[in-house]
Amino acid sequence: MSIIDSVRNALVPVHREGYKFVAIFFGVSILLGWIADPLFWIGMVLTAWCAYFFRDPERVTPLDEDLVISPADGRVSSVVRMLPPPELGLGTDEMLRISVFMNVFDCHVNRAPVKGRVVRKVHSQGSFLNAELDKASTENERSGLVIDTTRHGEIGVVQIAGLVARRILCWAEQNEQLDAGERFGLIRFGSRLDVFLPASARSLVSVGQTAIAGETMLAEFGSDKGPVVSRRD
């Protein structure tokens, strides 16, 4: 392997949604450098952070339709049973909700937690409360997908805006087929994702645990488990 290949493999690519922000940060750094040298270097540090924020690493996703994979990098902030947001149309029975909170240093590319077809896509206006608050699920601005897994019914995944996050991007569209671990959205800058699962699902994580999008197994639908293989993406 050449040195160039080694460097390329070591560098994590920046998602295209971040290109303009990195360019803006860099341009401002140049302007600040005309005022004072220390300001230029402060700007370059912030430019590096911006590129780091929009990083889009490859992930190795378990290929098992009985598993629910984390849709986000971050900290598991809640594992509870509660009613799903009414706009998802998932009924009036309690579901298992697993929440993953992303801070401004986590990778913010969101990935599908399961394989299935998007049967509903809804966007709800709301507040910009601290995304760690429990009421953020129903009061904050959010974008939700309902995915039909075929084998295990419908599940919901909700991108929730927070104090700093003011822009939710969701590229998945209704009737689109998603693979588990496939990229479907991004939130700027820092927020939370909720996954709503049938009450019979069993959580595999606990509050405070670190989750990795596309890799960490959050829950399982069934108990009869066979060998788990992975898909690199």
Side-chain angles (χ1 to χ4, degrees):
M1 180 181 292
S2 68
I3 294 177
I4 294 177
D5 288 335
S6 298
V7 172
R8 183 183 295 116
N9 291 335
L11 294 176
V12 176
V14 174
H15 194 277
R16 63 182 182 275
E17 291 291 340
Y19 291 168
K20 62 181 178 181
F21 291 95
V22 174
I24 290 172
F25 273 65
F26 180 74
V28 172
S29 299
I30 297 297
L31 293 176
L32 291 174
W34 290 345
I35 300 173
D37 285 345
L39 294 179
F40 169 76
W41 293 112
I42 292 173
M44 289 304 294
V45 169
L46 293 175
T47 301
W49 167 80
C50 186
Y52 180 74
F53 176 88
F54 284 104
R55 66 194 184 279
D56 186 14
E58 291 187 352
R59 296 288 163 81
V60 180
T61 302
L63 296 180
D64 186 332
E65 294 187 23
D66 288 335
L67 294 175
V68 179
I69 309 303
S70 179
D73 283 24
R75 179 176 58 82
V76 176
S77 59
S78 177
V79 180
V80 298
R81 297 188 186 279
M82 63 175 295
L83 297 177
E87 70 268 13
L88 294 182
L90 289 173
T92 56
D93 293 330
E94 286 190 343
M95 302 185 75
L96 173 64
R97 188 197 74 188
I98 302 178
S99 303
V100 179
F101 179 78
M102 301 177 290
N103 64 38
V104 294
F105 297 104
D106 290 315
C107 176
H108 275 57
V109 175
N110 303 144
R111 294 171 178 262
V114 294
K115 178 181 179 179
R117 183 174 64 89
V118 177
V119 293
R120 279 185 295 283
K121 177 181 179 179
V122 292
H123 184 87
S124 303
Q125 300 294 333
S127 304
F128 294 95
L129 305 172
N130 184 341
E132 287 205 86
L133 296 176
D134 198 60
K135 60 184 179 180
S137 284
T138 55
E139 295 189 17
N140 278 23
E141 182 159 339
R142 57 198 180 275
S143 179
L145 295 177
V146 176
I147 302 174
D148 184 359
T149 66
T150 304
R151 288 180 57 184
H152 302 292
E154 295 180 347
I155 69 104
V157 55
V158 184
Q159 299 168 287
I160 302 174
L163 283 172
V164 181
R166 299 288 166 142
R167 178 65 170 162
I168 298 173
L169 301 177
C170 182
W171 312 306
E173 298 294 342
Q174 190 164 322
N175 294 319
E176 182 176 346
Q177 187 73 27
L178 295 175
D179 286 324
E182 182 176 347
R183 300 165 179 85
F184 77 88
L186 181 149
I187 311 178
R188 306 193 298 254
F189 287 88
S191 192
R192 167 179 144 193
L193 264 81
D194 285 350
V195 179
F196 288 89
L197 307 170
S200 58
R202 182 171 71 92
S203 173
L204 299 177
V205 292
S206 56
V207 173
Q209 181 175 334
T210 298
I212 300 175
E215 292 191 353
T216 300
M217 296 174 285
L218 292 186
E220 63 177 351
F221 292 110
S223 58
D224 296 330
K225 309 299 293 178
V228 176
V229 296
S230 299
R231 173 174 57 82
R232 189 173 185 84
D233 187 12

